């Protein structure tokens, strides 16, 4: 059995490898420009519900580390426009997105023995990945904003895969934030930041008030140079059957020429959103949504008239759905919070109604030069809003479509969902604000309001009534490839109303796996570190 001296020497070697690997990571990460999304909910205590949201903020940007920590924002931040706004800002808390982005690093300057003490804390599996857990404490006098907490190090390449703690001591006029930061194995030997959960509930800030919030930060779009369904140079472009090919070998008729132009516009937009990192590539989730759409179309005798219906996934958190020509788009955040398939069908039926009613799509997007703009201007250059008359007509048509669908007797939860959306909407304006299409709430009234008439009354304290789910529970996003998949989670019995948390932010706890190595099976390797008796080093 190894002696304590041997254990200490093995642990020291492990720490040296971790330090070197983290320094290599800091060099590697500068080669990427991922998208970074942070969604923050301010909360307040509630006797029965634990906490409830009181406001929210949203940031989306592209991270560029070549010139320090820098973000190019996709979403315009509000500006102070008057003296009263400036006065109000004194009493409110403004969050800076880069403060959350900083949490992808343990220490981006001085992660070494000169600035930190390291001690063994244990061993633990995170999913399938065996890890060494190490306490990390800043040395006295090492400076501000040093990491204090634990790191989890996978025991093959000694990469940090998780770190949980805070930065301390924080400079004046900043706030201490607790966070849990996760990295995923994108490629063999490459672990990249993917998720950060942060919260604070007891930090004092202006005028004796307490900082109380929860936040999720996601990173994706690491491999955007290969994004887009048509980006491979060797790929042959094959048109999908969007328009009739009758008369093959001849010029298209005026009508078919129009359909071709409409299809080109639709393809241009879908491809541009994907290249910008805002839309997932084609995948299995699209097919699940498309099956639901086809269920509605077939029972309404529409499948022959609309053989070209498609569904795609917007990768962002805010709840929105819209249509681009014959392509229906739902955001990842919206799919996350939907309680069941019938509610999903209701959302899809509204967008299908726009297509059935031939609500026009801007054919100007068929001109390729319209797609020449920086990625961060996507929300300003691409708009798919409908006017109120079109929205009302789509609601009415959607109710007709649902009445003839397999979901006609299962829509009570859909009505409850829209009730919950109306109830929480005022406190969560950034969650319900659509960036590309129409918001699910217009004024104080939700979309498909007629569904609420057949639904029971919303009871936020009834654990048997689930009107909406928390964020992050249905869709898993691969930060390297931007592919998404549905997570098949078993229902967990609720202990009390505080666990319902509709539309709310929750911690991350991903199931870690190693990226497969070609030609080598993934098996656990025996580590040389025997740390059970290792004590803290001075």
């Amino acid at each position: 059995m190894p002696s304590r001296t041997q254990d200490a020497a093995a642990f020291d070697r492990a720490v040296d490898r971790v330090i070197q690997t983290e320094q290599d990571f800091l060099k590697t990460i500068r080669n990427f420009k991922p998208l970074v999304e942070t969604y923050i909910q301010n909360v307040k205590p509630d006797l029965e519900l634990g906490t409830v949201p009181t406001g929210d903020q949203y940031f989306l940007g592209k991270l560029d580390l070549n010139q320090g920590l820098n973000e190019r924002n996709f979403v315009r931040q509000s500006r102070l426009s008057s003296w009263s706004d400036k006065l109000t800002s004194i009493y409110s808390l403004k969050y800076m997105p880069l403060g959350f982005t900083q949490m992808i690093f343990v220490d981006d300057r001085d992660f070494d023995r000169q600035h930190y003490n390291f001690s063994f804390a244990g061993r633990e599996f995170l999913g399938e990945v065996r890890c060494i857990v190490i306490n990390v404490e800043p040395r006295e006098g090492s400076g501000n904003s040093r990491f204090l907490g634990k790191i989890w190090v996978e025991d093959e390449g000694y990469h940090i895969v998780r770190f949980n703690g805070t930065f301390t001591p924080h400079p004046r006029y900043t706030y201490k934030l607790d966070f849990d930061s996760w990295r995923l194995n994108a490629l063999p030997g490459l672990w990249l930041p993917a998720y950060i959960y942060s919260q604070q509930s007891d930090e004092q800030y202006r005028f004796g008030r307490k900082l109380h919030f929860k936040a999720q930060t996601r990173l994706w779009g690491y491999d955007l140079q290969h994004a887009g369904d048509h980006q491979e140079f060797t790929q042959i472009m094959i048109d999908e059957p969007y328009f009739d090919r009758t008369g093959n070998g001849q010029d298209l008729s005026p009508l078919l020429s129009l359909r071709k132009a409409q299809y080109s516009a639709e393809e241009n937009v879908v491809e541009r959103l994907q290249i910008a990192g805002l839309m997932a590539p084609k995948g299995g989730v699209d097919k699940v949504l498309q099956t639901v759409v086809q269920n509605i179309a077939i029972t309404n005798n529409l499948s022959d008239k609309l053989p070209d219906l498609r569904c795609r996934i917007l990768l962002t958190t805010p709840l929105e759905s819209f249509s681009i020509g014959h392509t229906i788009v739902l955001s990842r955040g919206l799919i996350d919070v939907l309680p069941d398939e019938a509610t999903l069908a209701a959302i899809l039926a509204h967008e299908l109604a726009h297509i059935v009613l031939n609500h026009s799509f801007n054919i100007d997007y068929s001109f390729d030069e319209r797609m020449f703009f920086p990625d961060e201007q996507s929300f300003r250059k691409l708009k798919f809003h409908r006017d109120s008359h079109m929205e009302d007509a789509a609601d009415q048509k959607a109710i007709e479509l649902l009445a003839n669908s397999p979901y006609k007797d299962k829509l009570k939860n859909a009505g409850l969902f829209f009730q919950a959306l109306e109830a929480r909407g005022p406190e969560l304006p950034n969650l319900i604000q659509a960036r590309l299409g129409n918001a699910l709430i217009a004024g104080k009234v939700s979309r498909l309001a007629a569904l609420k008439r057949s639904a029971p009354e919303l009871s936020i304290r009834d654990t048997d009534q689930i009107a909406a789910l928390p964020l992050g529970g249905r869709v898993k996003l691969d930060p390297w490839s931007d592919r998404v998949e549905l997570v098949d989670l078993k229902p967990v019995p609720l202990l009390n109303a505080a666990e319902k948390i509709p539309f709310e932010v929750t911690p991350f706890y991903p199931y870690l796996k190693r990226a497969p190595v070609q030609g080598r099976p993934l098996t656990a390797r025996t580590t040389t570190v025997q740390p059970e008796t290792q004590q803290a080093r001075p």
Side-chain angles (χ1 to χ4, degrees):
M1 183 174 180
S3 67
R4 291 193 176 189
T5 301
Q6 290 173 319
D7 287 347
F11 181 73
D12 281 346
R13 289 194 298 272
V15 169
D16 289 340
R17 289 194 64 181
V18 173
I19 290 172
Q20 183 58 55
T21 301
E22 187 66 6
Q23 291 174 354
D24 294 341
F25 162 78
L26 293 175
K27 297 175 183 177
T28 301
I29 194 67
R30 284 170 170 77
N31 296 318
F32 301 103
K33 296 180 181 179
L35 272 70
V36 183
E37 180 194 63
T38 297
Y39 177 59
I40 308 164
Q41 287 183 347
N42 299 319
V43 297
K44 68 178 181 181
D46 183 275
L47 290 178
E48 292 186 72
L49 301 179
T51 60
V52 294
T54 60
D56 66 350
Q57 295 195 46
Y58 179 73
F59 305 100
L60 178 66
K62 181 171 287 190
L63 186 62
D64 187 350
L65 297 171
N66 284 322
Q67 299 179 344
L69 196 60
N70 184 36
E71 261 184 341
R72 305 203 307 268
N73 291 324
F74 281 65
V75 181
R76 289 180 178 176
Q77 305 303 320
S78 58
R79 297 183 178 181
L80 301 178
S81 58
S82 67
W83 181 87
S84 62
D85 290 334
K86 294 178 182 179
L87 180 63
T88 302
S89 73
I90 296 175
Y91 296 92
S92 64
L93 180 65
K94 300 294 183 183
Y95 299 100
M96 299 301 294
L98 287 178
F100 293 88
T101 305
Q102 181 70 41
M103 298 172 191
I104 67 175
F105 304 114
V106 180
D107 188 319
D108 63 345
R109 297 171 294 151
D110 304 307
F111 187 69
D112 52 37
R113 292 186 183 274
Q114 288 70 45
H115 294 85
Y116 290 97
N117 291 322
F118 301 89
S119 62
F120 173 74
R123 287 187 292 186
E124 182 180 347
F125 273 93
L126 295 180
E128 300 173 4
V129 178
R130 187 169 58 183
C131 299
I132 305 166
V133 188
I134 301 174
N135 293 320
V136 179
E137 299 179 76
R139 289 181 175 271
E140 185 175 355
S142 61
N144 288 334
S145 299
R146 299 299 183 188
F147 176 73
L148 173 65
K150 284 183 169 64
I151 61 174
W152 282 254
V153 179
E154 53 87 18
D155 69 349
E156 288 192 5
Y158 293 87
H159 300 89
I160 296 174
V161 300
R162 178 190 182 190
F163 49 102
N164 181 304
T166 189
F167 294 122
T168 188
H170 53 87
R172 192 180 180 186
Y173 304 120
T174 64
Y175 308 105
K176 172 181 172 291
L177 304 179
D178 298 314
F179 63 92
D180 194 7
S181 186
W182 295 77
R183 298 173 182 173
L184 299 185
N185 196 189
L187 299 173
L190 180 63
W191 291 81
L192 294 172
Y195 305 112
I196 305 167
Y197 173 77
S198 50
Q199 70 174 35
Q200 189 51 264
S201 59
D202 57 3
E203 181 80 357
Q204 296 284 344
Y205 76 107
R206 298 168 180 166
F207 307 106
R209 305 172 78 182
K210 286 190 175 182
L211 180 61
H212 202 173
F213 79 92
K214 301 182 293 183
Q216 290 180 341
T217 297
R218 288 178 170 84
L219 294 93
W220 71 84
Y222 285 102
D223 193 30
L224 282 182
Q225 65 266 34
H226 296 117
D229 295 323
H230 306 307
Q231 289 302 294
E232 292 295 334
F233 180 73
T234 57
Q235 181 174 343
I236 298 176
M237 302 286 285
I238 301 176
D239 288 321
E240 296 186 14
Y242 182 85
F243 55 92
D244 190 358
R245 290 187 173 84
T246 302
N248 189 25
Q250 301 178 10
D251 294 343
L252 294 180
S253 69
L255 177 56
L256 297 184
S257 295
L258 175 61
R259 289 183 180 179
K260 174 62 176 175
Q262 290 170 336
Y263 175 71
S264 297
E266 183 179 339
E267 281 288 276
N268 281 348
V269 170
V270 169
E271 186 79 358
R272 187 65 187 88
L273 286 172
Q274 196 170 324
I275 292 170
L278 296 172
M279 181 171 284
K282 297 175 183 177
V285 183
D286 305 350
K287 296 177 182 178
V288 172
L289 270 58
Q290 193 160 338
T291 297
V292 177
V293 173
Q294 289 296 341
N295 289 342
I296 302 171
I298 291 171
T299 52
N300 282 274
N301 299 316
L302 295 172
S303 55
D304 292 336
K305 299 177 183 178
L306 300 170
D308 43 10
L309 292 171
R310 299 181 296 175
C311 294
R312 299 299 289 265
I313 310 301
L314 196 69
L315 292 173
T316 49
T317 291
L319 315 183
E320 64 176 308
S321 69
F322 54 91
S323 57
I324 307 170
H326 286 207
T327 299
I328 297 174
V329 181
L330 269 64
S331 68
R332 172 187 50 78
L334 177 57
I335 298 172
D336 271 340
V337 300
L338 296 177
D340 57 17
E341 185 176 324
T343 309
L344 171 62
I347 297 290
L348 293 170
H350 176 89
E351 301 306 332
L352 177 59
H354 280 301
I355 298 171
V356 171
L357 295 171
N358 196 30
H359 289 163
S360 60
F361 167 62
N362 191 352
I363 199 174
D364 291 349
Y365 292 131
S366 64
F367 294 95
D368 292 342
E369 54 86 14
R370 296 264 179 168
M371 301 296 110
F372 285 74
F373 53 79
D375 291 345
E376 58 269 27
Q377 292 185 16
S378 298
F379 290 154
R380 297 188 283 278
K381 295 293 186 178
L382 301 173
K383 293 293 183 182
F384 312 109
H385 290 87
R386 313 286 188 183
D387 63 35
S388 60
H389 299 292
M390 289 183 178
E391 282 292 287
D392 291 342
D395 271 357
Q396 294 177 21
K397 187 64 178 179
I399 297 299
E400 294 178 20
L401 296 174
L402 290 169
N404 295 323
S405 77
Y407 308 101
K408 62 181 179 181
D409 298 321
K410 305 174 184 179
L411 294 170
K412 290 184 178 180
N413 267 6
L416 278 173
F417 173 80
F418 289 111
Q419 287 185 49
L421 195 63
E422 289 181 9
R424 281 288 172 87
E427 285 74 38
L428 302 175
N430 285 285
L431 183 64
I432 65 172
Q433 179 185 348
R435 266 65 188 185
L436 292 170
N438 291 78
L440 295 178
I441 296 182
K444 297 182 179 180
V445 180
S446 69
R447 183 182 296 177
L448 293 170
L451 291 178
K452 295 183 296 183
R453 289 196 292 267
S454 61
E457 183 179 354
L458 179 68
S459 175
I460 59 175
R461 289 167 173 77
D462 181 358
T463 56
D464 293 327
Q465 187 189 87
I466 305 299
L469 302 179
L471 291 165
R474 285 200 183 277
V475 181
K476 182 178 180 180
L477 168 61
D478 183 333
W480 178 258
S481 66
D482 294 353
R483 296 190 178 279
V484 293
E485 61 181 277
L486 291 178
V487 180
D488 185 16
L489 297 177
K490 295 181 179 179
V492 179
L494 301 182
L495 300 177
N496 49 59
E499 292 189 333
K500 292 177 68 172
I501 49 179
F503 307 111
E504 293 186 31
V505 166
T506 60
F508 294 111
Y509 209 94
Y511 187 89
L512 298 190
K513 297 181 179 180
R514 295 188 188 278
V517 179
Q518 189 172 5
R520 181 172 71 87
L522 295 179
T523 57
R525 183 180 60 83
T526 302
T527 179
T528 57
V529 179
Q530 302 291 335
E532 284 85 356
T533 58
Q534 177 65 37
Q535 303 296 316
R537 301 176 70 256

